[in-house]
Amino acid sequence: MNHGEILSASIAVTFRDRQSVQAAISQYREQFPFAKITGIDETIGQMLGPMRKAILKASIVATLATVLLTLLVTTLFMKLLVAKDRYSIAILKSIGFTSRDIRRQYLTRSVTVLGMGVITGTLLANTLGELAGVAIVSSFGASAFHFEVNPWFVYLFSPLLIAGCVVAATRLGSSGIQALQISGHIKED
């Protein structure tokens, strides 16, 4: 047994009233100037601060990548769909539908798929996504980790951002409908 000096010791104190924690920390710091007195929030910040910053950066990059991929994939898909449906579009134009009416049909289809995708994605993210995220973070040594979900971001901002991207990309992708000539595409079939 070693009877040398103690290098470090931790004493955990639990308060019933969360409001008095900061006052108690200040009081203990005055009474024991030689000791390092910290609150749990500061300790967690010191231990997990770099990981929190990395997760924040990763979430920002993931959000930007999601926006770009949504714009790209939706635009390309709409252009492909318009090219495939040239004959149908020409028929619709010949019976009196305007380009605006036809574009509105494509927008309705996109928004319907978007709604189903957002609902399914939100449900899967809240169930399987958190389990996978906690498993990954736990592999780094944090055995009891819980993600703090920002409901404004998850349930309002993200769906609105994705919806805005899909609407913009659908409008861009279906912009070629105006240029389609009825005579040039009806005789193709």
Side-chain angles (χ1 to χ4, degrees):
M1 187 160 142
N2 187 358
H3 295 288
E5 291 185 30
I6 296 174
L7 294 177
S8 175
S10 296
I11 300 172
V13 179
T14 303
F15 291 90
R16 288 191 181 129
D17 182 18
R18 290 280 295 166
Q19 307 297 347
S20 62
V21 172
Q22 288 297 51
I25 289 172
S26 298
Q27 179 184 354
Y28 286 140
R29 283 182 179 159
E30 286 178 18
Q31 287 179 344
F32 307 105
F34 56 87
K36 181 180 177 186
I37 311 291
T38 59
I40 190 66
D41 294 333
E42 187 179 345
T43 303
I44 290 173
Q46 290 171 354
M47 289 171 40
L48 299 176
M51 186 183 297
R52 280 182 171 177
K53 288 178 185 173
I55 290 172
L56 178 64
K57 286 179 185 177
S59 68
I60 290 170
V61 168
T63 302
L64 291 174
T66 300
V67 166
L68 291 174
L69 284 173
T70 301
L71 285 169
L72 179 67
V73 169
T74 306
T75 302
L76 292 175
F77 184 74
M78 281 297 131
K79 286 197 174 286
L80 182 71
L81 201 56
V82 167
K84 181 185 83 63
D85 292 344
R86 287 183 308 218
Y87 179 75
S88 302
I89 293 169
I91 296 292
L92 288 172
K93 279 186 167 186
S94 71
I95 60 173
F97 283 93
T98 64
S99 296
R100 185 176 181 185
D101 294 334
I102 298 168
R103 288 178 73 183
R104 195 173 294 140
Q105 289 178 10
Y106 281 99
L107 185 61
T108 303
R109 292 179 196 172
S110 292
V111 170
T112 303
V113 172
L114 166 75
M116 292 187 310
V118 165
I119 291 169
T120 304
T122 302
L123 290 174
L124 287 175
N126 284 337
T127 55
L128 298 177
E130 186 168 348
L131 291 174
V134 168
I136 290 169
V137 172
S138 295
S139 70
F140 294 120
S143 59
F145 195 84
H146 174 72
F147 281 104
E148 186 79 21
V149 176
N150 182 346
W152 289 103
F153 184 80
V154 171
Y155 301 113
L156 183 68
F157 180 72
S158 290
L160 287 177
L161 181 66
I162 297 298
C165 291
V166 167
V167 168
T170 300
R171 287 186 177 192
L172 182 65
S174 64
S175 63
I177 290 174
Q178 289 175 323
L180 285 174
Q181 298 297 320
I182 297 171
S183 61
H185 296 289
I186 289 182
K187 63 183 175 185
E188 280 183 8
D189 246 5

